[in-house]
Amino acid sequence: MRAHLARVDAVIVQAVIAGALSFSHLHDLAAAAGQDGWKAWAYPVSVDLLLVAAWRRMRQAQRAGQTAGGPRLWFLIALAASLGANVATAGLLDLDDVPAWLRVTVAGWPAVAFFGGTLLAHTPHIQEEPREQTASTTDTEAEPHPAPPVAVDVTDRHARPAPL
């Protein structure tokens, strides 16, 4: 009997590694900007949750055939925060001497993330387009409100319609 090993998807492994690194960079930047303890850990959580919420809303709107401008904007804002932290902690920024503008940006992030998350959460739920019906659906399932029958007189093919 062969032992079945779970197949690990390389894309998921890569995503977990990238997510952990990005999470760590956000934490390090927040800590360097004066947010210590649990607050430094809350920053990466807020960025990642905003990314996920915006992505889900974008996909939902796209599946429904609607534009996703608002969710796309919040996705790009959160992506910029994540990418900015990754670049800043790559040696381009002296983490022992963080500039004032970056301290202000980090301190202001919770309000921005709260605003974006609130807008995404309170956006009306978009109803997705119904999927194609399979052959197993019955006529009553396919058309819940059938049109009433129309009487057609086929006895006189040469009859002309009455003038209006």
Side-chain angles (χ1 to χ4, degrees):
M1 183 182 252
R2 281 177 41 182
H4 293 284
L5 296 176
R7 192 179 120 208
V8 178
D9 189 347
V11 174
I12 292 175
V13 171
Q14 184 276 335
V16 168
I17 293 169
L21 288 169
S22 182
F23 195 90
S24 177
H25 291 150
L26 280 159
H27 168 269
D28 294 348
L29 185 64
Q35 306 299 318
D36 54 356
W38 69 269
K39 292 181 284 183
W41 290 110
Y43 278 84
V45 172
S46 70
V47 171
D48 290 348
L49 287 178
L50 187 58
L51 274 169
V52 170
W55 179 260
R56 291 190 62 174
R57 286 293 184 167
M58 278 180 6
R59 296 294 296 149
Q60 184 184 47
Q62 290 169 346
R63 282 192 302 267
Q66 297 181 358
T67 60
R72 185 172 289 114
L73 172 66
W74 289 108
F75 181 81
L76 291 173
I77 289 170
L79 184 62
S82 181
L83 184 59
N86 293 340
V87 171
T89 57
L92 298 178
L93 178 70
D94 180 5
L95 293 179
D96 294 324
D97 187 25
V98 176
W101 66 266
L102 186 55
R103 289 177 182 273
V104 170
T105 302
V106 169
W109 173 257
V112 172
F114 179 76
F115 181 64
T118 301
L119 289 177
L120 290 169
H122 292 286
T123 301
H125 184 72
I126 299 169
Q127 295 295 327
E128 294 181 21
E129 295 293 322
R131 297 181 185 222
E132 271 187 45
Q133 296 180 354
T134 60
S136 66
T137 60
T138 64
D139 290 339
T140 57
E141 289 174 335
E143 190 175 319
H145 302 289
V150 177
V152 178
D153 183 11
V154 292
T155 56
D156 187 4
R157 288 191 219 161
H158 302 290
R160 295 193 174 137
L164 297 173

